[in-house]
Amino acid sequence: MSDYSFAYLDEQTKRMIRRAILKGLAVPGYQVPFASREMPMPYGWGTGGVQVSAATLTPDDTLKVIDQGADDTTNAVSIRKFFEKTAGVDTTEKTAEASVIQTRHRIPEAELTEDQILVYQVPIPEPLRFLEPRESETRKMHALEEYGLMHVKLYEDISQHGAIATAYAYPVKVEGRYVMDPSPIPKFDNPKMEMAAIQLFGAGREQRIYALPPYTQVVSLDFEDYPFEASKADHPCDLCGAEDSYLDEVILDDAGSRMFVCSDTDYCRSRREAGHSGRLGEEAV
Amino acid sequence: MTPLLQVKNIKKLYGARIGCTDVTFDLYPGEVMGIVGESGSGKSTLLNSLAGHLAPDCGEVIFDTRANGPVDTVTMSEPERRMLARTDWAFVHQHARDGLRMSVSAGGNIGERLMAVGDRHYGSIRERAADWLGRVEISENRIDDRPSAFSGGMQQRLQIARNLVTGPRLVFMDEPTGGLDVSVQARLLDLLRGLVREMGLSAIIVTHDLAVVRLLADRLMVMKDGRVVETGLTDQVLDDPQHSYTQLLVSSVLQV
Ligand SMILES: [Zn+2]
């Protein structure tokens, strides 16, 4: 423990990251450059989120880490262990008990509170990248609010697929100003971004941090005649019976039988513990 | 009548070398100005200085804006100039790939300017894109194809549709027929002439091809070594050139 600074990063680096976070909170949705540090894990493993968490955690915090909604994936386990070791903080799998939640690709189903911070791992922070590769130009487009190109992307979606096929990383406009990439969460989660908790986004390889203060307005882009829909698989959870949660499809055997289960493992478990049950609830538990 | 564009003493230097200098003219609504000269004459430098792609070293480019009347676009803020560039101005590049998004469908290319100014109805954007494909003689069933699948002439017609869809009041064209086969050029010229007349477009066309200005331009400026050496009504200049350089240009000597 004494070999490391608290949460691995030295104090100066954490201060630098906190300044970027504060700037991000002051200008919601704006991508703040920061000097990303080498972390003892490869890019793509959430180094941006880990650095933001490291600068955010205090010794009294309780940390939860999820990957695709689950606490038990390799990625989530290794990040949780990393902070157990370097910061000595308590960890939990229960959403309600966590004060800091680092996530990859999901927002928890349980409503978050003003006492919580949600930290996202972001691979590509620039929503305009796909149509305009020049960084000098995308920066200018943000500065001048030239966002027509975002709708060109949605137009292309509809013309090719008959509907807006973008299902993940669905672009949003923040407080009527900055267009932002919400990281690859399913668009089902987009409406949840107007929440009580602080949301912080860290992109390690791209060296960007952005943020949403509590209760920030977050609007998913769409067309009048193709309005945004927060869609999910049209099933209840086969384990807990929830009809309001985002579901993963799981193949059960070679014969192709399958089931739908909550991607938020904590949500599913707490519902079952409270006595709820789905189609396969009894046998699968 | 207020000129749509007043160009006053434009000068652009590249270090000590003159790109263009002492250029002054007025362009009235509905008028097409041709600028001819050999390569290196400064005509492209002038066009890019007028269109805001290059910052001139001195001079004014005063545009009669819808909202505030005549405003010097050289000194206006960059956001205002970029707004102008995607609403009341249009720029047709010589190479279509410089003016198109090659990875976006034809419909998306045409629709971009509409979406840039706030159109948020997919159906109406698509309808106008289809209409404009028709107006530039591209089959409507190509609307979802990417321009990379188009011939050179089609790409150039698509670029024109993409530029004209928002009804700009001033169109800059840089060698719009350059690099195309002669037969393709003729078709494009006919199309451009039809659109200019039908929409009452004001335009500034830079070309080395006298046939282009003969067909499209009301007035003509001849440039040599960065300066305007002769100016006048197109037919007058071409049929009775006064300056010795213009006489050379009009005679077959300099014509490629
Ligand atoms: Zn469940």
Side-chain angles (χ1 to χ4, degrees):
Chain A
M1 180 72 205
S2 56
D3 295 345
Y4 297 101
S5 301
F6 175 78
Y8 186 77
L9 292 174
D10 63 83
E11 293 308 310
Q12 202 183 337
T13 299
K14 281 183 285 193
R15 273 198 297 276
M16 176 270 293
I17 293 172
R18 286 176 198 138
R19 278 196 295 273
I21 290 172
L22 289 173
K23 187 168 177 183
L25 286 166
V27 191
Y30 171 74
Q31 298 167 48
V32 184
F34 80 109
S36 184
R37 293 289 189 262
E38 289 292 326
M39 298 301 285
M41 57 193 73
Y43 287 122
W45 279 69
T47 56
V50 167
Q51 289 177 81
V52 169
S53 292
T56 303
L57 283 170
T58 68
D60 296 335
D61 273 313
T62 302
L63 177 70
K64 170 183 164 80
V65 182
I66 48 172
D67 178 8
Q68 310 267 15
D71 298 83
D72 58 358
T73 67
T74 314
N75 186 300
V77 169
S78 69
I79 291 173
R80 195 163 58 234
K81 284 197 172 138
F82 174 78
F83 282 116
E84 281 170 359
K85 191 171 160 199
T86 61
V89 292
D90 292 340
T91 57
T92 181
E93 296 194 2
K94 298 200 163 81
T95 300
E97 288 175 10
S99 55
V100 176
I101 302 169
Q102 180 169 332
T103 180
R104 176 174 172 270
H105 295 191
R106 277 306 315 275
I107 295 176
E109 304 292 356
E111 202 168 315
L112 301 185
T113 68
E114 291 180 357
D115 300 325
Q116 294 178 304
I117 297 175
L118 184 59
V119 177
Y120 296 77
Q121 300 172 204
V122 180
I124 299 168
E126 179 48 72
L128 297 161
R129 173 82 46 88
F130 295 100
L131 292 164
E132 179 52 73
R134 290 169 299 173
E135 164 97 27
S136 58
E137 188 63 16
T138 54
R139 221 180 280 178
K140 205 167 268 179
M141 292 158 92
H142 283 293
L144 303 179
E145 269 183 88
E146 293 179 3
Y147 288 133
L149 212 47
M150 287 313 311
H151 276 86
V152 173
K153 187 162 181 276
L154 299 180
Y155 170 95
E156 293 289 283
D157 247 17
I158 300 172
S159 69
Q160 283 164 29
H161 308 287
I164 297 177
T166 301
Y168 297 89
Y170 191 105
V172 295
K173 195 166 202 182
V174 176
E175 285 290 330
R177 179 57 183 87
Y178 284 97
V179 166
M180 188 189 95
D181 183 313
S183 87
I185 57 171
K187 64 179 176 179
F188 173 80
D189 283 344
N190 273 26
K192 294 186 203 160
M193 299 184 88
E194 294 190 346
M195 63 165 71
I198 291 174
Q199 296 169 82
L200 306 175
F201 300 78
R205 187 176 40 222
E206 303 265 345
Q207 315 212 55
R208 291 289 185 278
I209 284 171
Y210 48 102
L212 298 172
Y215 309 111
T216 299
Q217 184 199 53
V218 179
V219 176
S220 302
L221 302 182
D222 63 2
F223 286 102
E224 291 158 19
D225 46 343
Y226 286 83
F228 172 80
E229 276 179 84
S231 55
K232 69 178 200 69
D234 190 17
H235 284 267
C237 172
D238 282 330
L239 296 183
C240 76
E243 301 195 0
D244 58 353
S245 68
Y246 190 72
L247 302 171
D248 287 336
E249 190 176 349
V250 181
I251 307 292
L252 291 175
D253 56 35
D254 290 346
S257 65
R258 50 193 169 169
M259 64 174 185
F260 289 92
V261 295
C262 296
S263 98
D264 184 335
T265 49
D266 174 59
Y267 183 72
C268 200
R269 184 179 47 235
S270 37
R271 276 182 53 84
R272 278 179 279 143
E273 282 169 5
H276 297 282
S277 181
R279 181 176 64 97
L280 304 170
E282 297 306 314
E283 44 194 295
V285 166
Chain B
M1 183 163 50
T2 312
L4 184 66
L5 194 74
Q6 303 170 56
V7 177
K8 296 183 177 173
N9 287 311
I10 284 295
K11 178 201 266 186
K12 175 67 188 173
L13 300 174
Y14 295 107
R17 193 169 64 78
I18 291 173
C20 64
T21 187
D22 289 334
V23 180
T24 295
F25 69 92
D26 288 344
L27 183 77
Y28 284 89
E31 203 175 24
V32 176
M33 170 71 87
I35 304 175
V36 297
E38 296 168 280
S39 67
S41 63
K43 59 187 194 301
S44 288
T45 297
L46 174 62
L47 189 75
N48 283 300
S49 299
L50 300 180
H53 299 168
L54 289 173
D57 290 291
C58 74
E60 293 165 79
V61 179
I62 298 166
F63 180 70
D64 186 17
T65 63
R66 283 179 212 246
N68 302 312
V71 176
D72 182 10
T73 62
V74 175
T75 52
M76 75 169 36
S77 70
E78 192 184 11
E80 288 176 300
R81 196 161 49 237
R82 283 172 70 110
M83 176 61 98
L84 204 55
R86 61 176 193 269
T87 53
D88 266 354
W89 286 8
F91 196 104
V92 177
H93 294 264
Q94 173 177 2
H95 301 292
R97 65 176 173 274
D98 294 333
L100 293 173
R101 292 193 189 277
M102 299 305 280
S103 62
V104 167
S105 70
N109 263 286
I110 298 176
E112 181 175 344
R113 275 172 76 110
L114 298 171
M115 293 181 250
V117 295
D119 200 325
R120 294 289 177 265
H121 193 282
Y122 175 84
S124 83
I125 292 165
R126 197 163 171 83
E127 203 171 295
R128 289 179 69 182
D131 175 51
W132 265 98
L133 282 178
R135 292 174 76 169
V136 297
E137 300 166 7
I138 296 174
S139 166
E140 198 184 315
N141 62 25
R142 304 300 300 270
I143 191 166
D144 293 328
D145 292 350
R146 292 181 176 186
S148 46
F150 289 3
S151 68
M154 279 171 75
Q155 287 182 4
Q156 198 57 303
R157 297 202 299 277
L158 178 62
Q159 192 195 178
I160 288 163
R162 168 180 162 88
N163 269 282
L164 298 187
V165 64
T166 46
R169 294 158 68 218
L170 176 58
V171 184
F172 300 96
M173 298 189 205
D174 187 9
E175 302 274 11
T177 60
L180 298 175
D181 294 342
V182 175
S183 62
V184 178
Q185 281 187 16
R187 185 177 174 194
L188 186 65
L189 273 179
D190 282 342
L191 176 76
L192 272 176
R193 186 166 63 166
L195 289 171
V196 162
R197 290 198 176 151
E198 184 190 322
M199 299 177 73
L201 284 180
S202 310
I204 298 175
I205 302 177
V206 157
T207 179
H208 67 282
D209 187 344
L210 297 184
V212 170
V213 287
R214 172 81 83 179
L215 210 58
L216 293 177
D218 304 304
R219 281 197 299 147
L220 203 56
M221 286 189 343
V222 183
M223 290 189 73
K224 181 177 189 302
D225 300 331
R227 292 166 196 276
V228 177
V229 296
E230 183 162 358
T231 177
L233 296 174
T234 303
D235 290 342
Q236 257 169 30
V237 173
L238 294 182
D239 295 341
D240 185 19
Q242 301 299 304
H243 193 279
S244 57
Y245 176 73
T246 315
Q247 289 166 3
L248 268 176
L249 205 63
V250 170
S251 72
S252 59
V253 182
L254 291 180
Q255 290 204 38
V256 187

